[in-house]
Amino acid sequence: MSKQESSISLSVNPQWVRQLLDWADQHFNYYSYFNPNGIAYPGDAFTHVFYAGTQAVDLDHLDLLPAGKPKIGIISYDRKNSYEKLESGNDCRVTCPETLFFSPEITVSFSADVAMIISSDPEACAKAIASTQAVRPEARGDFTLFASHGKEEYTRVFDKIQQHILDGDIYEMNYCMDFHGSLSYADPVGFYLQLCAHSPMPFSALFKANDLFLTCASPERFLKKKGSTLLSQPIKGSVRRGSNPQEDAMLRKTLLESEKEMAENLMIVDLMRNDLSRLAQTGTVSVDELFGIYTFQQITQMISTVSCQLLPGTGFREIISKTFPMGSMTGAPKIKCMELIERYESFKRGWFSGCLGYIDASGDFDTCVIIRSLVMDRAKNTYYFGVGSAITADANASDEYQECQLKASTLIQTLNYFYQLKTDPVKWPH
């Protein structure tokens, strides 16, 4: 805490959090609220904390932010073009900054039902938050929803990608489709809170950059640094939740014993071991958990944990340059897969499949992979989100398409609930 800052603690409830987010929206250009939703996670989930500031820089100018303060930021998938000879020329659904980081002018740390406000005048902040009343539309409104692929088009592209695998160009590729549309009005705070209610996740976050918002319900960590230890936790392997405990247990067992899902996961584990080895002290890269099965409210996932001991003096920007983007969102080998992603996907990924997180004053950090997340442009009342799955030699187009629909379902359900629509709104472009 700087000399100019002080703190106060107060009891809070969910309504106060809503007031905090609405108040910050009215007074700050940038903020991020991280909420682990009380979910246990190997290596711990996000810290429950809120940051807000008024000035931001890109990743290349991170040193311009105040020393000794946290740095909160987001990195677009398209940052890959700075690290490899790649490009991003597909259609852009919502224009997102490639990288953006800010330092907080106010921090709110949560512990159970107590919030500690840290700022230059925490008492004034507390009073302003408590008195905030956001203006809401009287009616819920409406939205449109278009998908980049129907099943027939998805299958056509799937077959082409699988041919690359059979030809030996790649081993596995994460192929994504997108959903996008317009909103009669944009309420990112309300939508985010509804998303958390439908799908609480360990890496949940709401990120604001002027009129752009990321409503994030991610189950996947990208990288976490604590001291000299760097940790990555790729996800590959998914199955829906069962309608009763018996079916749920059967589906978990099916996922755990699936040779296909284990092969997908193992390929990405090997890729992450290779990425971490570029930063690690010799002999320190290890697989701490292989094929862990973790159940969330809407989905069960296969998660592995890979770690290493960093070479002394290795900083955030170098770590990102050697590991970004997450291998689970590209495939293996990574560079060839990214070339094919650009060829076969029909949208610019932007923030989707990038990363979001925070760096503390000591240089330790935690970041998530931006998946199961919706990007909203409040100025234009537009939005998009992406979903994907891994294509391998023995993958089936119908199964992978259904996996994409499963991953999209929570966001579509949240849109339906939030805008009170009762019918399936998905439309396929001609």
Side-chain angles (χ1 to χ4, degrees):
M1 194 183 307
S2 68
K3 294 180 181 179
Q4 295 80 24
E5 291 180 329
S6 58
S7 67
I8 61 167
S9 296
L10 62 158
S11 296
V12 297
N13 56 33
Q15 177 58 33
W16 188 89
V17 173
R18 173 85 197 229
Q19 290 177 296
L20 166 67
L21 297 174
D22 285 331
W23 170 77
D25 193 21
Q26 297 168 16
H27 293 87
F28 294 92
N29 297 325
Y30 310 98
Y31 72 63
S32 196
Y33 173 60
F34 300 94
N35 185 357
N37 292 295
I39 296 173
Y41 202 85
D44 298 325
F46 269 157
T47 299
H48 194 182
V49 64
F50 169 86
Y51 301 104
T54 55
Q55 302 293 325
V57 300
D58 60 31
L59 179 59
D60 296 323
H61 297 89
L62 207 56
D63 295 340
L64 296 179
L65 293 176
K69 296 197 72 172
K71 299 170 179 64
I72 302 90
I74 194 165
I75 302 175
S76 162
Y77 169 80
D78 306 294
R79 177 69 179 183
K80 64 184 173 59
N81 305 335
S82 297
Y83 305 133
E84 305 292 345
K85 294 180 179 179
L86 299 167
E87 57 184 21
S88 299
N90 289 327
D91 289 345
C92 182
R93 309 303 190 199
V94 173
T95 302
C96 302
E98 184 178 281
T99 63
L100 188 150
F101 286 80
F102 70 90
S103 284
E105 297 172 23
I106 176 174
T107 300
V108 182
S109 298
F110 295 88
S111 179
D113 59 351
V114 175
M116 182 173 69
I117 303 174
I118 304 170
S119 75
S120 59
D121 193 346
E123 292 85 359
C125 290
K127 290 179 181 178
I129 293 165
S131 63
T132 295
Q133 292 185 342
V135 178
R136 307 284 174 208
E138 292 183 5
R140 280 293 194 187
D142 203 346
F143 72 99
T144 63
L145 177 61
F146 298 91
S148 58
H149 294 82
K151 188 172 183 179
E152 183 177 337
E153 172 64 11
Y154 179 91
T155 301
R156 185 185 68 81
V157 179
F158 175 97
D159 290 342
K160 290 185 176 182
I161 294 169
Q162 202 165 55
Q163 188 60 51
H164 283 284
I165 297 171
L166 298 176
D167 290 343
D169 299 330
I170 54 174
Y171 304 109
E172 170 184 353
M173 180 176 136
N174 188 275
Y175 174 56
C176 297
M177 57 186 294
D178 83 283
F179 294 80
H180 58 278
S182 61
L183 309 165
S184 58
Y185 76 96
D187 178 6
V189 173
F191 182 85
Y192 166 74
L193 295 175
Q194 190 61 57
L195 179 60
C196 279
H198 278 169
S199 184
M201 284 292 181
F203 301 103
S204 159
L206 176 64
F207 183 84
K208 175 189 179 182
N210 295 309
D211 281 316
L212 287 182
F213 291 83
L214 173 72
T215 59
C216 177
S218 176
E220 184 170 11
R221 169 173 279 130
F222 176 30
L223 294 170
K224 179 178 182 177
K225 176 184 176 293
K226 188 172 183 179
S228 62
T229 300
L230 185 65
L231 184 78
S232 183
Q233 292 175 305
I235 291 179
K236 268 288 166 274
S238 307
V239 70
R240 65 179 176 85
R241 295 297 307 273
S243 58
N244 56 59
Q246 293 75 24
E247 184 187 28
D248 204 45
M250 180 197 71
L251 290 169
R252 283 173 56 91
K253 185 173 185 292
T254 299
L255 177 60
L256 178 61
E257 296 176 352
S258 169
E259 292 185 6
K260 170 186 172 294
E261 303 287 8
M262 287 190 287
E264 290 180 9
N265 193 287
L266 185 60
M267 277 189 269
I268 302 305
V269 167
D270 285 343
L271 188 155
M272 290 310 304
R273 289 174 64 242
N274 181 69
D275 281 355
L276 295 192
S277 70
R278 303 170 70 191
L279 301 156
Q281 298 179 40
T282 302
T284 64
V285 177
S286 65
V287 179
D288 305 309
E289 182 180 28
L290 190 63
F291 311 146
I293 304 297
Y294 293 88
T295 297
F296 304 101
Q297 186 163 302
Q298 302 286 350
I299 196 169
T300 298
Q301 307 264 202
M302 182 180 285
I303 306 174
S304 294
T305 300
V306 187
S307 68
C308 74
Q309 297 300 305
L310 289 165
L311 291 166
T314 309
F316 179 78
R317 280 184 292 193
E318 183 179 359
I319 292 169
I320 292 296
S321 72
K322 297 292 191 352
T323 58
F324 188 84
M326 176 58 133
S328 61
M329 297 307 298
T330 61
K334 184 186 280 189
I335 295 174
K336 183 61 178 181
C337 281
M338 288 190 287
E339 292 174 354
L340 295 177
I341 284 168
E342 179 66 20
R343 181 189 304 180
Y344 290 116
E345 291 184 358
S346 60
F347 72 109
K348 186 176 182 179
R349 288 192 180 184
W351 282 352
F352 167 65
S353 75
C355 68
L356 169 71
Y358 47 81
I359 310 167
D360 70 19
S362 72
D364 286 349
F365 61 83
D366 202 358
T367 60
C368 73
V369 182
I370 300 173
I371 53 175
R372 323 293 160 79
S373 305
L374 182 144
V375 179
M376 186 182 298
D377 185 335
R378 187 169 57 186
K380 297 180 179 178
N381 285 346
T382 58
Y383 72 92
Y384 84 102
F385 62 92
V387 293
S389 70
I391 298 176
T392 57
D394 58 352
N396 175 275
S398 180
D399 291 343
E400 299 306 319
Y401 180 77
Q402 288 305 315
E403 182 175 328
C404 289
Q405 302 309 301
L406 172 64
K407 291 173 178 176
S409 63
T410 297
L411 287 163
I412 294 174
Q413 289 166 9
T414 304
L415 283 165
N416 272 317
Y417 184 91
F418 193 74
Y419 289 94
Q420 295 185 338
L421 289 182
K422 304 301 182 184
T423 57
D424 181 3
V426 178
K427 301 173 184 176
W428 312 113
H430 297 293

